[in-house]
Amino acid sequence: MQAVEIYDTTLRDGSQGEGISFSVEDKIKIALKLDRMGFHYIEGGWPGSNPKDMEFFRKIAQQPLKNSRITAFGSTRRPGGKAGEDPNLKSILAAGVQVATLVGKTWDFHVTHALNTTLEENLAMIRESVAFLRSKGLQVIYDAEHFFDGLKANPEYALATLEAAAGGGAGTLVLCDTNGGSLPEEIREAVVLAGKKFSVPLGIHCHNDGDLAVANSITAVLAGAAHVQGTVNGYGERCGNANLCSVVPNLVFKCGVETIPTENLRKLTELSRYVSEVANMHPVSSMPFVGASAFAHKGGIHVSAIVKSPHTYEHIDPELVGNRRRVLVSELSGLSNLLYKYRELNLDLELQKEENRELLERIKEMENQGYQFEGAEGSFELLLRKLKTGYREPFKLENLRVIIEMSEDKPAYTQSVIKMSVGDKVVHTAAEGNGPVNALDNALRKALDRFYPCIRNMQLSDYKVRVLDEKDGTGAQVRVLIETGDGERSWGTVGVSENIIEASWKALIDSIAYGLLKNKEGSRPGEG
Amino acid sequence: MQAVEIYDTTLRDGSQGEGISFSVEDKIKIALKLDRMGFHYIEGGWPGSNPKDMEFFRKIAQQPLKNSRITAFGSTRRPGGKAGEDPNLKSILAAGVQVATLVGKTWDFHVTHALNTTLEENLAMIRESVAFLRSKGLQVIYDAEHFFDGLKANPEYALATLEAAAGGGAGTLVLCDTNGGSLPEEIREAVVLAGKKFSVPLGIHCHNDGDLAVANSITAVLAGAAHVQGTVNGYGERCGNANLCSVVPNLVFKCGVETIPTENLRKLTELSRYVSEVANMHPVSSMPFVGASAFAHKGGIHVSAIVKSPHTYEHIDPELVGNRRRVLVSELSGLSNLLYKYRELNLDLELQKEENRELLERIKEMENQGYQFEGAEGSFELLLRKLKTGYREPFKLENLRVIIEMSEDKPAYTQSVIKMSVGDKVVHTAAEGNGPVNALDNALRKALDRFYPCIRNMQLSDYKVRVLDEKDGTGAQVRVLIETGDGERSWGTVGVSENIIEASWKALIDSIAYGLLKNKEGSRPGEG
């Protein structure tokens, strides 16, 4: 079985992505997760270019890693200089790693135009820099920048740079598609060509500018590369690097290549979400393998088929990568989506056939108004429960008023007054807020607190507004989605109205009502 | 030169993406953009499954399309039924299209387990359904669902289903990787095999579950497919469909394949952003070719190289796809952004060097707060003008109050009271509205009407709300974008605040102030 090393550069190349900035602590936390995952190498940073990176190397050295080796990145020595005196190479030594990753120029145009030196000097820079680090006992991974573009422009010279790195003692020759514009077939031919020339193992490092980084990485492996570089979630400069969350499961489950233990892939979804959380990037829900939508079924025909057999519309079992199957309820869906949803919610709500149809009609009608129950499972379950007799609302609005005041020289001031009934008790209170919805949220919590102390644990974690049919201007329908969590679980609720305050209020009271329902059920979720 | 038809299914398969729901109006607007783009086919929907889709077909028939043909989607007739009596096929006829896209089962397991019929009956269903639509004068595109999985499971049967479609008169046989799990090499072999068996042109329809949809689509074309299906931004069920925003530029600029006119690709970035705006999906900034980060340079070495020569770190010229180069985190980038904006706005406002720096600081500070001037050129120009002496605000707020009331049995009631000054006159008035912003809009117009009768011609045409940093819940910053038109031109304005009412108010007064400015200038836009 072919075996391939996985090399993660989230902490260096990944941090070049727009909007991404890791603190040293962030980097340590991510490195520990990557080690737990079993990736073979973790590129920690570029100590010569960034003082923050040096601190990372100091701190990570104190962590006992189980699986991964930390590498420090740097470029070949300066033109005309000496390897032993090069500040960049010295800082790699200072990082205290056992493995260095050195990048060098392959493309003749870059040598003469970006580096402003001669083609011969560049070859010397590569050979001497690698040899210097080898002489200090380090393993050297050589990144041939712009290899594929260089090979097109001047094949003889491109191969001569690899020869220089191999001559200097590099343990791996990594072919980089730095500008990310190569096609799979070009990658395949180049890897085969280099494989014939060199006995040193080859690696691949792809960027995603052509939307082909994953395909290019896999193609390189199938053509003989034994080392793959990429980042978690594909973060990186411009369009990002090859996404390891896609490359690794493809290699393992599709290509039969040995990488990390198959069992570890069950932590892949968690890894992806953890890194997007630390990076404070919106997770892309459609991300293959690990996205929240990756195994989410919406079309009615799809759902009725997966109920019979999941692999009718799933390429792999979601659990293999730690993800899960979801069924969405929308106007596109049929009865089978509803039935699946019951089962998933573990609802003990046996609706009669007629009730089912009624519910489906009601849902379609609400969706016509602009409701959307995807991501609003809380409102959906409440809707179901209200259809059955025996559901008691935990509180009722008597009336409310929101007042917003602004004047030329003062910022806006908002307060809300609400009157609610809980059972036979009436509570009448008021609160301020940053804005009208925040003021309502505050007043509602204040009103309900003494009846339901557990609402103190419920936190709004997300608030989204979508103006429907925006052409109607300020008179358009508005949909509000709210996400709430209580530390154990989280749930979404939805409200729609022409009035944004009313829409928000609907989503707000659903979020509290649903939280109370689940709290009452305690550890028996789903039991009515 | 190889030529390939581009088939867009954003309106049907794209709408299966989680969180995506298009109104009929949305679909019409998108279809007009796709037509302008020059895509050969636009799949409008599935009239047999969704009444909203039928309305789309009625409405689009009244639009004069220049380039695209509208297709209606449907499945083969029911097992045991007659094609001529099948409600699904009849609704395709009722849609009034000239092209139908029929999907049929290829995978024996699906026929027996999802469809619950015999392999023979499925072949008859395919042949008879295609033949029926052909007999009514329609062109038929046949989508072979699960072709690649079916081919693996039972190659003889999979090919027999294509034979049935070809025998019925299908004009294109589209090989679908429905579960999105195939590798490029599998796609290549299968397309070559089918190409040897059939003289009918082949098409390709890929899903992205393995993160390979773009690579698979291109591979199929290079193996002989003459028709590619996909969606804008890759929207679609689970991980989405092949992203046409990546497939088309790859085919044109990398593979030398003829698709749509190369010139039209300059509208690609605009198309992508328009569709994500209509779908209200967060645009993915790292999206290849069209993303905001696709040509954004962050690394110091990259930036200094691209200043010398852009193609050192760019695989294509961003302007070819209507995108633009950006340089992140640098004083330089700020100034060049500014100069870029002047040029774009065609502004005749020669700012002094000091004014430029001051403006830049002000813009950076506002962007930090969440302002965004893309799509808000009205607010941007007002900002510039306020910096110059001689600008007089057309009106001023003294104070305002908005009151929203709701009670258990009555819908929300909203009124606003505002006091404004115009020159030395003070006006104090009130108005109702559907919601708080609408009430403010009404009161503002009422107050200003007698001073500036021309505001009667100004109509809000778009109102958008984006919650920034949604994790802060109802206390998060909110950005409001308003689009206003006066019949001749339209302009965008922006407001940001923690309070949605304040943010809306800022965008509202800018929209009126800018309209008044342009009205005063008459037909001399841009002159101060």
Side-chain angles (χ1 to χ4, degrees), chain A residues 188-209:
Chain A
R188 198 188 61 74
E189 284 173 12
V191 172
V192 167
L193 175 72
K196 283 184 187 151
K197 292 260 179 194
F198 301 99
S199 57
V200 180
L202 299 179
I204 183 78
H205 172 115
C206 292
H207 280 261
N208 200 36
D209 299 71

Side-chain angles (χ1 to χ4, degrees), chain B residues 143-369:
Chain B
D143 274 9
E145 196 188 18
H146 289 113
F147 177 74
F148 300 93
D149 295 312
L151 192 72
K152 273 190 209 170
N154 185 342
E156 206 176 312
Y157 186 72
L159 293 169
T161 64
L162 292 187
E163 184 70 52
T172 314
L173 302 175
V174 183
L175 313 181
C176 301
D177 188 27
T178 308
N179 292 5
S182 300
L183 296 173
E185 189 51 24
E186 296 167 342
I187 300 279
R188 199 188 60 75
E189 284 172 12
V191 172
V192 167
L193 175 72
K196 283 184 186 152
K197 292 261 179 194
F198 301 99
S199 57
V200 179
L202 300 179
I204 183 76
H205 173 116
C206 292
H207 281 261
N208 200 37
D209 298 72
D211 217 348
L212 298 165
V214 172
N216 286 347
S217 303
I218 291 168
T219 301
V221 168
L222 296 178
H227 167 115
V228 177
Q229 302 192 348
T231 62
V232 175
N233 298 331
Y235 294 145
E237 187 105 29
R238 305 186 310 273
C239 308
N241 290 52
N243 185 353
L244 290 179
C245 297
S246 295
V247 171
V248 180
N250 269 318
L251 290 177
V252 173
F253 299 121
K254 303 291 174 67
C255 305
V257 169
E258 194 184 319
T259 60
I260 59 174
T262 305
E263 192 54 32
N264 289 8
L265 280 162
R266 292 180 183 264
K267 291 178 278 193
L268 192 67
T269 298
E270 184 201 327
L271 175 72
S272 161
R273 298 191 187 164
Y274 183 83
V275 172
S276 71
E277 207 47 65
V278 173
N280 201 28
M281 298 295 279
H282 269 285
V284 177
S285 72
S286 60
M287 200 181 278
F289 298 99
V290 295
S293 308
F295 300 90
H297 303 278
K298 185 168 167 183
I301 288 180
H302 288 207
V303 174
S304 71
I306 64 142
V307 168
K308 295 180 193 160
S309 172
H311 80 284
T312 49
Y313 288 95
E314 285 175 1
H315 68 132
I316 63 163
D317 178 350
E319 289 183 9
L320 291 174
V321 289
N323 207 338
R324 68 189 183 94
R325 178 173 309 124
R326 292 162 60 228
V327 170
L328 308 176
V329 220
S330 101
E331 182 82 7
L332 246 187
S333 76
L335 265 180
S336 53
N337 269 8
L338 209 54
L339 297 174
Y340 179 92
K341 279 213 159 90
Y342 290 175
R343 276 214 315 275
E344 200 181 47
L345 289 171
N346 211 4
L347 276 184
D348 192 13
L349 270 180
E350 279 302 315
L351 293 191
Q352 303 304 308
K353 205 162 183 177
E354 240 344 281
E355 288 173 323
N356 261 327
R357 293 227 170 267
E358 198 184 320
L359 178 61
L360 196 60
E361 281 315 304
R362 179 96 188 94
I363 289 170
K364 280 191 177 171
E365 188 191 309
M366 291 177 81
E367 289 191 334
N368 257 343
Q369 286 169 44

Side-chain angles (χ1 to χ4, degrees), chain A residues 4-241:
Chain A
V4 166
E5 294 172 343
I6 305 299
Y7 182 106
D8 180 279
T9 177
T10 308
L11 304 181
R12 207 253 329 153
D13 239 8
S15 72
Q16 305 270 41
E18 179 166 12
I20 295 183
S21 164
F22 295 126
S23 68
V24 173
E25 282 312 311
D26 290 342
K27 292 179 73 164
I28 298 285
K29 286 190 287 185
I30 291 172
L32 295 176
K33 284 269 181 192
L34 294 170
D35 174 56
R36 211 175 133 245
M37 196 70 200
F39 289 163
H40 305 85
Y41 296 98
I42 300 170
E43 189 175 278
W46 187 338
S49 92
N50 190 340
K52 216 164 69 176
D53 283 0
M54 195 55 99
E55 199 188 330
F56 167 81
F57 287 106
R58 265 198 299 276
K59 289 196 169 165
I60 197 72
Q62 290 145 29
Q63 298 285 346
L65 299 187
K66 276 189 194 142
N67 302 300
S68 307
R69 286 199 278 177
I70 298 289
T71 83
F73 182 86
S75 61
T76 52
R77 70 155 171 80
R78 286 179 187 162
K82 284 188 175 158
E85 293 165 10
D86 192 80
N88 184 37
L89 295 177
K90 279 184 180 168
S91 65
I92 291 179
L93 294 180
V97 292
Q98 293 173 324
V99 188
T101 303
L102 267 197
V103 63
K105 298 283 185 200
T106 319
W107 189 355
D108 55 359
F109 165 78
H110 263 263
V111 175
T112 52
H113 284 75
L115 214 54
N116 288 322
T117 188
T118 65
L119 297 183
E120 292 68 32
E121 172 64 4
N122 180 52
L123 295 180
M125 287 157 61
I126 295 170
R127 189 171 38 244
E128 291 169 19
S129 302
V130 174
F132 170 69
L133 292 173
R134 292 287 291 130
S135 76
K136 299 291 176 183
L138 273 70
Q139 173 188 340
V140 178
I141 294 168
Y142 178 72
D143 275 9
E145 196 189 18
H146 289 112
F147 177 74
F148 301 92
D149 295 312
L151 192 71
K152 271 191 209 169
N154 185 342
E156 208 175 309
Y157 185 71
L159 292 169
T161 65
L162 291 187
E163 184 69 53
T172 314
L173 302 175
V174 183
L175 314 180
C176 302
D177 189 28
T178 308
N179 292 5
S182 298
L183 297 173
E185 187 53 21
E186 295 167 343
I187 300 279
R188 198 188 61 74
E189 284 173 12
V191 172
V192 167
L193 175 72
K196 283 184 187 151
K197 292 260 179 194
F198 301 99
S199 57
V200 180
L202 299 179
I204 183 78
H205 172 115
C206 292
H207 280 261
N208 200 36
D209 299 71
D211 217 349
L212 297 165
V214 171
N216 286 347
S217 303
I218 292 167
T219 301
V221 168
L222 296 177
H227 168 113
V228 177
Q229 303 193 345
T231 63
V232 175
N233 298 332
Y235 294 146
E237 185 105 30
R238 305 185 311 274
C239 308
N241 289 52

